[in-house]
Amino acid sequence: MRAISDLEQIVTQTEGIEGLALRYGFFYGPGSSYAADGAQAEAVRRRRFPVVGKGDGVHSFIHVDDAAAAAMRAMDQGSPGIYNVADDDPARVGDWVPYLAEVLGAPKPRTVPVFIARWFAGDYGVNFMTRGQGISNEKAKRELALGLRYPSWRQGFREALG
């Protein structure tokens, strides 16, 4: 994370350039790991993507088409700075994983206690599932006039992955 932050600072604060950085939510849609034929979808189908603990980690998503549109808008009208590009609906792991399973026609995901998940996924995996914070797209919406085909992962998962 420190390396990414350092890179963002270099891009946005170097004299002589007008740099901007886009921070994306998790991509879903064609070509992504959350595509209907992607690795994460396959893990969900095989019940290998459990909800850890209470699933209180919050994740933000963005459809690949919305991400591409945001990049084009940023190049055309973005001011130097950092923009979060995600949909309007950050989601708890305990909400989006079961919903994704339903959309994919997969069995309901398992729930795994934190101490067991730590054996298999380590601290990073547990933190990913229990402590993620999601992001706000307000600056991108305001300054880039970010318009989303899929303003919520719920609609996007259903239409793009179902």
Side-chain angles (χ1 to χ4, degrees):
M1 293 304 296
R2 191 175 358 188
I4 292 170
S5 179
D6 289 347
L7 181 58
E8 289 173 343
Q9 296 306 310
I10 290 168
V11 166
T12 60
Q13 295 178 4
T14 297
E15 280 192 45
I17 66 169
E18 292 186 3
L20 59 89
L22 302 179
R23 295 176 181 160
Y24 291 102
F26 291 102
F27 295 118
Y28 68 93
S32 74
S33 65
Y34 289 99
D37 61 350
Q40 302 302 344
E42 182 61 21
V44 169
R45 284 188 191 94
R46 298 176 80 189
R47 296 188 82 199
R48 293 184 178 171
F49 199 121
V51 173
V52 174
K54 295 179 183 174
D56 285 335
V58 177
H59 297 165
S60 294
F61 290 93
I62 187 75
H63 188 278
V64 293
D65 292 343
D66 284 335
M72 295 300 293
R73 281 198 172 281
M75 287 188 290
D76 287 343
Q77 65 192 51
S79 297
I82 299 169
Y83 298 86
N84 292 330
V85 178
D87 70 20
D88 298 334
D89 191 14
R92 286 182 63 256
V93 170
D95 295 330
W96 74 260
V97 173
Y99 187 84
L100 178 58
E102 177 187 321
V103 165
L104 295 170
K108 184 177 178 181
R110 293 179 172 94
T111 299
V112 177
V114 169
F115 76 93
I116 291 176
R118 191 164 274 115
W119 290 342
F120 294 98
D123 287 336
Y124 175 80
V126 168
N127 288 337
F128 174 80
M129 298 294 276
T130 62
R131 294 186 177 178
Q133 297 181 336
I135 58 177
S136 168
N137 65 8
E138 289 303 315
K139 180 179 177 184
K141 286 174 70 174
R142 183 180 61 250
E143 296 184 20
L144 302 178
L146 179 64
L148 299 169
R149 178 176 176 193
Y150 299 110
S152 171
W153 55 273
R154 294 172 197 273
Q155 173 196 8
F157 283 10
R158 177 102 25 223
E159 291 181 21
L161 306 179

